[in-house]
Amino acid sequence: SEEDDIACCSAKLIRRDYVRPDFLFEMNRPSAVTSALAFELFDRYGRFRGEFYNHRVRKGTGVWGKELDEGDILLFETIIVQSEYRRTGVGTLVIKLLMEAAQEKSRKLIAFARPGHLGPLVGSVKEKAQAVTESTINSQYFWQSLGFRRVGNSAWFAFSFRPDHPSKSLPAVDDHQSPMINWEDDIPEDMDEVLKVLVNLESTETQCLESIKNAFPIRPGIIRWPSLTATDRMGNTILHYAAMSHRAASVKHLLSMWPFLAQFRNSDGYTPLEALKSSLETSRAKREEEGETIINLDVFSGFPQAAISCLGLLTGIPVIDLDTLPGDLLLNSLKFKYGCTCGKCVGGFLSPRTRLAVVTQIHRLCDIWREDIETNNGQEFVDDPEVFQFLKSETVAELETSKEVQLGYLNVCMLICRCAVEGRQPRDSNILRMYFTMPRETSAVTWAFLKAGGIVSDVARMLFYKCLREDELAGDGTHARIFQGRISRQPACRNDHEYLFVCKMLGYPIFGDLDLNKIDLDYEAHYED
């Protein structure tokens, strides 16, 4: 009975490979804890975020790396032991029994927990904060005693079931200790007033800049105000606030007067530039509405111009308003706008590896289909259901019976391929421009497809859909198995694997409910309580 319970523990065994194509969507559904784990430690395909093993501060002790990309996840959400049974080994026994049971069900496993406080809080704000801090520290000691070690400098702890894992040789006393929130020191009054203006969405750029100038006026002989380097409880300086609030004029002023502020790190280990990038990446992935987390990934259409301007100022790279004339400045601005990290994305969003996937997909399909059309009247071609699912019914009827229409479909594929190879965006306008320069015989069959009601977006969406289905993370991995060598020679980018985003940016309707529901997963089948 509940009166006889001395301990209870809530945990989930997550089959990562089953939910990987929609990892963030699926992890957002079961609970707030699964959602927090996914967004704080992993990317949209369940890969461990690189900053936790590459970043000089965020990596912590550096014992965790790419091994966290793979395997099932055992997530401990809560453990509660009645007060009279604490420090008797009951909690340890419960955790060990659950880990043994999970091991029997999984060939490759990693366990996670986030130490924290459970239960009601009483007293003043500082008293409550102190209670949470003490409870969290005690919880950390408990998980460390079981062999869990902190993941980077995050709030999460992980346990490897591999006896040779580096975490096994790290004593608990040497584990990374994240700085505790300072609840004692208040922010100086002049700084506090400025921060309130910066974060107020109704404040104008002029008001923000004036508040900084009034709080920290430039006077002869005074080059630095004592409170200028004050931080909030999370270690954020005035420049952190200005950057994350996208106040470009304020960022420019602060950097021109006190450039040393750009080197300050907050409690997460972020400089103002890194904090801005992190906040933008979070906004690209999700937003909060009335306490509910909404996934943004496939509706992302670029970062706001004010954020782009702040990125340019903090990196020292000139950018311009994207409504002005194109040029090198435009390219820099587009890279910032669409989150390109390789510097090679066409238009700032179409990455080299995505272009490679499209090109190789087209060559493979056209080689197979062209031979089939010539030798078998296109029977294999017309039997491919993915060819037809984006076409109008009248186009399908023509495609099933007309060799010219079939060859015209293939020609549109090759025009898309040519765009990708030449580093151009495969939009309707670019492809149709190429169409008018084609030889007469080739353009005639292409015209047959267009005359039958076919449009470029029908073909492009089919190609991107096939790329998605064969992607190493979102699909079955066919592309990576065949072309791994060529893939590795292309620079990696944040925009890799983002086929829905690319479709949207090219002006093509994303695949829609008809297609995505075919790979919709029942999350209950992949989470075991």
Side-chain angles (χ1 to χ4, degrees):
S1 68
E2 289 188 7
E3 288 117 4
D4 297 328
D5 287 345
I6 61 174
C8 64
C9 181
S10 172
K12 283 182 170 60
L13 178 60
I14 302 164
R15 306 293 191 180
R16 179 162 27 182
D17 285 344
Y18 288 109
V19 298
R20 192 182 292 278
D22 295 301
F23 184 78
L24 293 183
F25 289 92
E26 296 294 341
M27 291 288 282
N28 189 47
R29 296 166 69 176
S31 72
V33 182
T34 59
S35 180
L37 175 72
F39 282 103
E40 291 173 21
L41 295 187
F42 299 99
D43 69 8
R44 71 173 298 171
Y45 294 115
R47 296 174 300 180
F48 188 43
R49 285 168 53 184
E51 66 183 77
F52 288 114
Y53 52 85
N54 288 328
H55 191 276
R56 56 179 292 189
V57 178
R58 295 285 279 165
K59 68 180 181 181
T61 59
V63 297
W64 301 106
K66 290 188 176 182
E67 73 277 6
L68 297 190
D69 287 351
E70 305 294 336
D72 293 338
I73 294 172
L74 176 60
L75 172 60
F76 290 98
E77 296 183 297
T78 59
I79 178 168
I80 302 174
V81 180
Q82 297 295 340
S83 57
E84 61 267 33
Y85 292 98
R86 292 173 189 168
R87 302 186 186 280
T88 64
V90 171
T92 298
L93 178 61
V94 170
I95 298 300
K96 287 184 175 180
L97 288 173
L98 281 171
M99 291 200 293
E100 288 173 5
Q103 274 188 288
E104 293 177 0
K105 296 185 176 185
S106 179
R107 290 179 297 177
K108 193 172 186 180
L109 185 65
I110 192 81
F112 290 92
R114 185 172 63 176
H117 174 83
L118 292 174
L121 292 168
V122 294
S124 65
V125 172
K126 289 186 178 180
E127 288 171 339
K128 291 178 182 178
Q130 185 176 2
V132 169
T133 299
E134 291 176 357
S135 178
T136 300
I137 291 174
N138 290 333
S139 181
Q140 290 175 5
Y141 290 156
F142 169 74
W143 290 107
Q144 286 174 326
S145 72
L146 290 164
F148 284 71
R149 293 295 180 265
R150 191 183 294 274
V151 179
N153 70 342
S154 74
W156 292 91
F157 286 67
F159 180 91
S160 174
F161 291 84
R162 281 174 37 203
D164 61 340
H165 191 272
S167 63
K168 302 299 182 185
S169 59
L170 178 67
V173 69
D174 293 332
D175 199 9
H176 181 81
Q177 299 297 321
S178 291
M180 290 296 174
I181 297 175
N182 184 358
W183 295 93
E184 298 299 324
D185 296 334
D186 292 324
I187 302 173
E189 186 175 346
D190 53 356
M191 176 68 76
D192 191 40
E193 291 301 318
V194 173
L195 300 186
K196 288 177 181 177
V197 176
L198 289 174
V199 299
N200 187 344
L201 297 179
E202 296 182 0
S203 298
T204 66
E205 281 279 13
T206 301
Q207 290 172 329
C208 291
L209 183 57
E210 287 302 316
S211 71
I212 294 174
K213 289 182 176 180
N214 291 335
F216 308 108
I218 309 302
R219 295 173 182 167
I222 300 179
I223 60 173
R224 181 171 174 175
W225 293 84
S227 59
L228 185 68
T229 56
T231 66
D232 68 4
R233 294 186 175 97
M234 299 305 295
N236 292 304
T237 67
I238 187 173
L239 185 55
H240 281 90
Y241 271 86
M244 291 189 288
S245 301
H246 307 166
R247 306 297 190 179
S250 299
V251 170
K252 183 176 182 179
H253 174 72
L254 291 168
L255 287 174
S256 66
M257 298 306 304
W258 304 287
F260 61 87
L261 288 173
Q263 307 305 316
F264 277 66
R265 295 186 181 275
N266 61 17
S267 59
D268 286 326
Y270 289 139
T271 64
L273 172 61
E274 292 167 343
L276 172 58
K277 288 182 175 180
S278 178
S279 67
L280 290 175
E281 181 61 29
T282 299
S283 71
R284 177 172 181 166
K286 66 173 182 175
R287 68 183 188 278
E288 302 294 330
E289 286 188 3
E290 299 179 353
E292 182 180 0
T293 299
I294 308 298
I295 309 296
N296 280 340
L297 286 165
D298 296 325
V299 297
F300 174 68
S301 57
F303 298 125
Q305 181 62 45
I308 298 169
S309 298
C310 289
L311 286 169
L313 289 165
L314 289 163
T315 57
I317 298 176
V319 296
I320 56 172
D321 191 302
L322 297 178
D323 293 330
T324 62
L325 295 176
D328 290 341
L329 295 179
L330 176 60
L331 183 58
N332 289 335
S333 302
L334 288 172
K335 290 172 185 175
F336 285 139
K337 181 176 180 67
Y338 298 121
C340 167
T341 57
C342 69
K344 303 292 184 181
C345 285
V346 175
F349 63 87
L350 182 58
S351 73
R353 292 190 178 188
T354 301
R355 286 161 50 204
L356 175 65
V358 172
V359 170
T360 54
Q361 184 72 246
I362 291 172
H363 282 303
R364 285 172 53 218
L365 291 175
C366 287
D367 287 347
I368 295 169
W369 287 343
R370 196 176 301 279
E371 181 179 356
D372 177 59
I373 291 169
E374 296 296 339
T375 61
N376 196 30
N377 296 320
Q379 191 59 49
E380 183 177 344
F381 173 58
V382 298
D383 283 345
D384 187 336
E386 292 174 354
V387 171
F388 295 125
Q389 64 178 330
F390 302 111
L391 298 175
K392 303 185 195 73
S393 57
E394 58 267 27
T395 310
V396 170
E398 291 286 339
L399 198 66
E400 289 178 323
T401 57
S402 171
K403 180 178 178 180
E404 280 193 334
V405 176
Q406 293 171 1
L407 291 173
Y409 187 101
L410 266 61
N411 282 349
V412 174
C413 288
M414 293 308 299
L415 288 174
I416 294 172
C417 179
R418 181 179 160 191
C419 267
V421 169
E422 294 178 359
R424 285 186 274 180
Q425 298 177 28
R427 302 178 174 274
D428 283 355
S429 56
N430 286 339
I431 291 164
L432 291 175
R433 192 176 297 115
M434 289 180 176
Y435 162 71
F436 288 114
T437 65
M438 296 172 73
R440 182 181 297 274
E441 181 180 349
T442 308
S443 63
V445 293
T446 308
W447 170 245
F449 170 70
L450 298 174
K451 186 178 179 182
I455 55 177
V456 172
S457 68
D458 294 341
V459 183
R461 292 164 72 205
M462 178 277 299
L463 291 170
F464 280 106
Y465 182 74
K466 282 186 174 290
C467 288
L468 179 71
R469 293 298 295 264
E470 295 188 1
D471 184 75
E472 62 183 297
L473 299 176
D476 61 16
T478 299
H479 174 63
R481 287 194 296 272
I482 299 175
F483 300 105
Q484 186 58 56
R486 294 179 64 181
I487 294 171
S488 64
R489 291 193 291 272
Q490 299 295 329
C493 184
R494 167 62 181 84
N495 290 330
D496 294 339
H497 315 288
E498 298 283 358
Y499 297 104
L500 295 177
F501 166 56
V502 170
C503 265
K504 183 175 184 293
M505 296 312 302
L506 291 173
Y508 301 135
I510 59 175
F511 307 139
D513 295 338
L514 173 65
D515 308 304
L516 295 183
N517 281 340
K518 291 181 179 179
I519 55 175
D520 186 35
L521 300 172
D522 180 2
Y523 77 88
E524 293 181 358
H526 311 303
Y527 298 87
E528 298 185 27
D529 289 317

